[in-house]
Amino acid sequence: MLKNRILSTLKFFDLQDYPLTLLELHKFLAADWAELKLHLNSQGELIENRQPEPQVRVDEVLSCIDNECQGQVENYLGFYYLSGRKDIVSARLRNYHFGLAREKLIYRYTKALRFLPFVRGVGLAGSQAMGQQKESSDIDLFVIVRPDFMWLARTIITAYFQVLGKRRYDGHITNRFCLNHYVMGPKEITKLKNLYTASEYLKLRPLTYRHSLWQFQKINEPGLKALFPNIKLNHPETEMASRIQTFLEKLFANRFGLWLDNVLKNWQLPQIRTEKFIVVEEDELSFHPESKQQGLLADFAKFQKQQERVSVKLVV
């Protein structure tokens, strides 16, 4: 039922204190929970892809809000939210101020990443991309690197931001770049496939080599559409690799470079903690130890159970 999907979507983002515009609500319209939960494990992770529901038009969403959702969904300044949650609109608008100031830093320090060897794509992630930034927020980057040179690329990127004094570490957080997710090529994600991570992948904003970010989303499209059936991935223009990057890669794309990558891997691996939401694989490094996704997904599942109980009472 469309009404339940709309309420589910608004609740999912409400748990993040985030109201939605009509277009955002349409794009991130969650799959029907009654069907989706059959394909999730106890942690809310997608264990198998499924045929997504037919796409719903924007006017159908708006009509349902105006009619079936009356009394449960409200609209203020073009933002939709669950009744009684008007305050999150003000919070989102207030956060725009911090986000706009941070955009200047993002442009200034990321435009040079296309010149670094083995970088195949960089996307803005985290709170800044999700529109949930605060005054004290950092800047999360999602990085796609050339296969076989994960550790060398990571070291070079880390050194770049360290020299500039803009790398996040220890207590240095605000307006610093957090380099917490690397993948080799357009990798298909196999771990932590849920509504939270899917929304993050769909909100990635390309900063460098946008075609690679599109390829990443495209290869993961079946899983993304199983969770958010309305998404559409528009093919961007392909950017030519910079000459500086091509030259620098010629210096390292050889036996010496592979040896150096292995040395850096053996040096860095022992320093990485093993805990929840840290993924260390041959083709992926993901560091989100403070992720709120587990609690959020649990609260979302609790909401769905409440909705099911309400539906049963209405039928009875």
Side-chain angles (χ1 to χ4, degrees):
M1 180 188 293
L2 182 54
K3 175 187 173 181
N4 291 340
R5 293 178 63 188
I6 290 173
L7 294 177
S8 292
T9 305
L10 290 174
K11 181 61 179 181
F12 175 72
F13 286 96
D14 177 86
L15 290 169
Q16 304 171 66
D17 295 328
Y18 194 74
L20 299 174
T21 65
L22 178 60
L23 292 180
E24 288 171 338
L25 176 55
H26 175 257
K27 176 180 178 179
F28 289 100
L29 186 65
D32 180 76
W33 182 256
E35 293 294 327
L36 178 60
K37 69 179 182 179
L38 301 176
H39 303 269
L40 304 177
N41 63 18
S42 60
Q43 301 300 312
E45 308 289 340
L46 190 67
I47 54 178
E48 60 180 355
N49 294 334
R50 55 185 285 270
Q51 188 66 30
E53 291 99 323
Q55 294 196 339
V56 179
R57 302 192 310 272
V58 175
D59 63 303
E60 291 178 296
V61 173
L62 184 58
S63 176
C64 185
I65 292 173
D66 290 340
N67 296 286
E68 297 176 56
C69 297
Q70 279 192 10
Q72 294 178 278
V73 175
E74 297 177 4
N75 172 32
Y76 177 63
L77 298 178
F79 294 98
Y80 291 88
Y81 51 92
L82 296 176
S83 296
R85 291 284 284 160
K86 184 178 178 179
D87 57 308
I88 64 176
V89 175
S90 299
R92 177 171 176 176
L93 293 174
R94 185 171 59 250
N95 289 339
Y96 273 134
H97 170 73
F98 306 123
L100 288 173
R102 199 167 284 122
E103 287 298 320
K104 297 178 181 178
L105 295 175
I106 295 170
Y107 175 77
R108 182 186 308 166
Y109 293 108
T110 63
K111 61 182 180 180
L113 294 177
R114 67 189 304 269
F115 301 119
L116 300 185
F118 308 122
V119 173
R120 290 296 177 267
V122 179
L124 181 67
S127 62
Q128 185 74 13
M130 298 286 284
Q132 300 166 327
Q133 65 276 10
K134 296 179 175 61
E135 186 175 11
S136 59
S137 295
D138 59 7
I139 305 167
D140 293 288
L141 295 184
F142 175 86
V143 184
I144 298 175
V145 300
R146 173 174 165 174
D148 300 326
F149 293 96
M150 169 84 79
W151 300 92
L152 181 53
R154 182 187 184 219
T155 301
I156 292 171
I157 296 170
T158 300
Y160 168 76
F161 284 109
Q162 183 67 32
V163 169
L164 293 173
K166 288 297 176 181
R167 182 177 74 88
R168 172 183 170 163
Y169 66 97
D170 298 332
H172 304 280
I173 299 173
T174 305
N175 291 335
R176 297 286 187 118
F177 288 88
C178 184
L179 311 169
N180 57 10
H181 204 157
Y182 295 84
V183 297
M184 281 188 189
K187 169 190 167 66
E188 182 178 1
I189 297 297
T190 57
K191 293 185 177 181
L192 301 178
K193 294 172 63 174
N194 54 56
L195 285 164
Y196 184 86
T197 55
S199 64
E200 284 208 320
Y201 293 142
L202 289 170
K203 281 210 168 189
L204 285 173
R205 194 207 312 163
L207 299 174
T208 298
Y209 298 133
R210 63 182 61 241
H211 185 263
S212 293
L213 269 295
W214 173 83
Q215 285 182 316
F216 169 78
Q217 292 174 328
K218 194 68 179 175
I219 200 171
N220 287 286
E221 186 176 24
L224 296 175
K225 278 202 168 188
L227 298 165
F228 297 107
N230 265 8
I231 64 167
K232 293 181 180 179
L233 303 177
N234 298 317
H235 194 296
E237 293 184 7
T238 302
E239 299 174 62
M240 295 294 293
S242 71
R243 293 182 179 181
I244 294 176
Q245 182 187 66
T246 301
F247 171 76
L248 291 175
E249 288 191 5
K250 287 182 179 179
L251 300 178
F252 294 101
N254 47 44
R255 290 184 179 180
F256 169 72
L258 291 171
W259 171 81
L260 183 58
D261 186 84
N262 192 57
V263 169
L264 292 170
K265 174 183 177 180
N266 292 332
W267 171 52
Q268 295 175 38
L269 263 180
Q271 303 176 51
I272 298 175
R273 304 191 307 272
T274 301
E275 57 182 272
K276 185 72 172 177
F277 305 124
I278 290 183
V279 177
V280 180
E281 297 184 341
E282 285 298 318
D283 56 358
E284 181 179 8
L285 297 173
S286 178
F287 310 101
H288 299 90
E290 300 175 2
S291 177
K292 300 176 182 178
Q293 61 179 282
Q294 190 169 27
L296 188 151
L297 293 172
D299 288 342
F300 183 69
K302 190 181 301 182
F303 166 79
Q304 296 295 349
K305 289 182 180 179
Q306 292 172 346
Q307 292 296 101
E308 289 172 359
R309 285 197 290 269
V310 170
S311 297
V312 170
K313 288 181 180 179
L314 289 176
V315 171
V316 174

